[in-house]
Every structure is written in C-alpha cells, then in structure tokens.
Amino acid sequence: MKKNKTYFLVIGIIICFVFVIIGNKMVSATVTTDLEKLAEAIKNEKGKITGWSLYTRETIDISSNEEWLAQVQRVKKQYPAYDWKLSTENDELIASGFSKKRDYVETIKILSTPTKNQPQSYLIYEVKGTVWNNQIGIKINKRISEKMEVLFKQKPVVFSCIKGEFSDKIDKVLSSKLSNLMTSLKAKEEEALMEKDFYSISAYSSKLEQSIPTRNHSMNMQIGLRKKGLGANTSIVIGTPIITIEY
C-alpha cells in the first residue's frame, strides 16, 4: 500500500512538471506587440487611427534557385489556404502568400536577391489593417505569436507602426499634442528633423519592448508628423523600433 502511494506521488509530480514545462513554453511563445501602447497614445490626444502594421523578417540560408523553390513549397504546404503568387522583379525571386480577413491582411514572403557570392534570402511576415481596437489587438497578438512559433527559427524583431491624424494644424500638434504623447510613452528625444510642414523625431521609450542597437545612443521609436492636404489636419506615424512604412 505504501509502495502504491509512493508510486502515485511520483507520477503526480511528473505530471505537474510536464504541465509547468508546457505552460512555460506557451508563455515564451506569446508575442506582445507595442501597437496597443502606440494606439492608446494617439487616442489619448483625440487622434484618429487610420492604419497599422506589423513586420518581421529572418535571414534564411538558400544557395540556389532549387533550394528557394523547396523553401517556397514547404511554406506553401504550411499555409495552403493563402493565395500564393510567384514573381521576378529586378532578378529577385519573390513568393507571396496573402490571407485577407475581415479586420486585417496577412502576407508571407520568401524573397531571394542575387549577390556576388550567393543569394541573400529572407522569410518575411507582415500583417496590416485600417481599424484598431482591443479585440483586434488580441487577435493580432495571437496571430503573430503563432507565426513566430511556426515560421521562424529565431525570434526576430517585430516592427510595429501605426498611422493616424489630428484635426489640428501641425504647429499646434507640435506645441501640445506631441509633448503629451511623448510623456505618455515615457519617451526621451534623441534626434529631430524639422522642415516646412514636416517633423521627424527619434526617441527612446522605456514603455516599448522592441529595440535595435544604434551606434551613438539608444533608440526604439520614431515619430513622423506631416501637414495633410490643404486643410487643418496633421497626419502622424509612430514606429517602433523604427518606422518601416512610407510617410
């Protein structure tokens, strides 16, 4: 009887240990983006969200067209429901898979660029949309966590970008809303560029998770402000660790 109790105790410990390991793996696989923080900062200043995107990529080892095609087939097999297209642009081989949902569009690309020695190849994942709310944020965190777990061998940097606009002239946005936005993100200005109807700032925010190394200082956020059209509106783009979209 004593042996049976010891046996069941050991089995129970093993089961608990397995669940802890699985739980830790699930937690480590979860990716939290910075989009929620960027969106909240814009909304707090009465701004309107007009678009957002997440982008990440990883270098892959491909030395021939045959290996590139084999890589494409592997990824297509993983995501057969995507709409896949093959193309060539300036000697680049590009395989693009698209999946359009109600709130966002996902894109997977396998890109190979010829060089002197061997092709430089990348596996790219991007998801973007025009509407943002908490429910979409939950969906996106889940989607990108799944992609990071299945697509990539390492854990590449996730670039988050959000676009919006203010119903104020750029000088008023610069004098009040930008300062409040920087404060809410606990951001410190590192560099700035100002031109007529355009303002760009590089900063470091202690609230943002993603970052990239730089030569002279720490930086993990960029903000771009631009006068929009002939009216009084101002467009804004915030990216972490840098802006990866046109603005």
Side-chain angles (χ1 to χ4, degrees), residues 10-213:
V10 171
I11 293 298
I13 293 173
I14 292 173
I15 291 172
C16 290
F17 183 70
V18 169
F19 274 112
V20 168
I21 292 175
I22 294 173
N24 287 339
K25 185 175 182 181
M26 290 176 67
V27 170
S28 65
T30 301
V31 177
T32 302
T33 73
D34 288 316
L35 278 176
E36 294 95 334
K37 299 166 188 174
L38 303 183
E40 182 180 7
I42 292 177
K43 288 182 177 179
N44 285 344
E45 295 306 310
K46 310 301 181 185
K48 176 185 176 182
I49 305 298
T50 58
W52 56 269
S53 70
L54 291 170
Y55 172 92
T56 189
R57 75 177 188 181
E58 182 176 76
T59 302
I60 52 179
D61 187 16
I62 292 176
S63 58
S64 66
N65 290 355
E66 290 74 19
E67 288 186 7
W68 180 81
L69 286 171
Q71 176 71 25
V72 170
Q73 292 304 316
R74 281 194 292 270
V75 178
K76 286 178 68 175
K77 190 174 181 180
Q78 286 177 307
Y79 299 97
Y82 280 49
D83 181 17
W84 287 94
K85 296 179 181 178
L86 302 183
S87 61
T88 303
E89 297 178 12
N90 299 322
D91 295 328
E92 287 186 339
L93 298 174
I94 306 170
S96 303
F98 303 92
S99 178
K100 188 174 182 180
K101 309 295 184 183
R102 186 181 66 178
D103 299 317
Y104 55 88
V105 177
E106 291 180 287
T107 304
I108 299 173
K109 286 186 180 181
I110 303 99
L111 183 149
S112 187
T113 303
T115 60
K116 290 182 179 180
N117 297 321
Q118 69 176 43
Q120 190 71 34
S121 303
Y122 301 97
L123 179 59
I124 299 167
Y125 173 72
E126 182 181 32
V127 55
K128 57 185 178 181
T130 56
V131 178
W132 183 263
N133 54 46
N134 292 336
Q135 288 73 28
I136 293 174
I138 293 171
K139 289 181 186 178
I140 296 307
N141 281 339
K142 183 179 179 181
R143 297 298 292 173
I144 198 164
S145 294
E146 292 172 352
K147 294 298 185 298
M148 296 287 276
E149 184 75 12
V150 176
L151 276 177
F152 302 106
K153 294 181 180 179
Q154 305 298 323
K155 188 179 179 182
V157 173
V158 178
F159 295 84
S160 304
C161 284
I162 198 155
K163 297 193 294 184
E165 62 179 56
F166 297 110
S167 57
D168 289 309
K169 292 183 178 180
I170 192 168
D171 55 348
K172 186 174 181 180
V173 174
L174 288 171
S175 64
S176 60
K177 295 184 183 298
L178 179 60
S179 177
N180 295 339
L181 190 148
M182 293 278 287
T183 300
S184 68
L185 288 171
K186 296 183 179 179
K188 178 183 176 183
E189 179 182 315
E190 299 293 346
E191 294 178 356
L193 171 66
M194 188 169 188
E195 300 177 357
K196 184 181 179 181
D197 301 331
F198 174 76
Y199 187 82
S200 175
I201 182 171
S202 298
Y204 180 81
S205 168
S206 59
K207 290 186 70 173
L208 303 179
E209 297 182 14
Q210 298 290 336
S211 63
I212 55 173

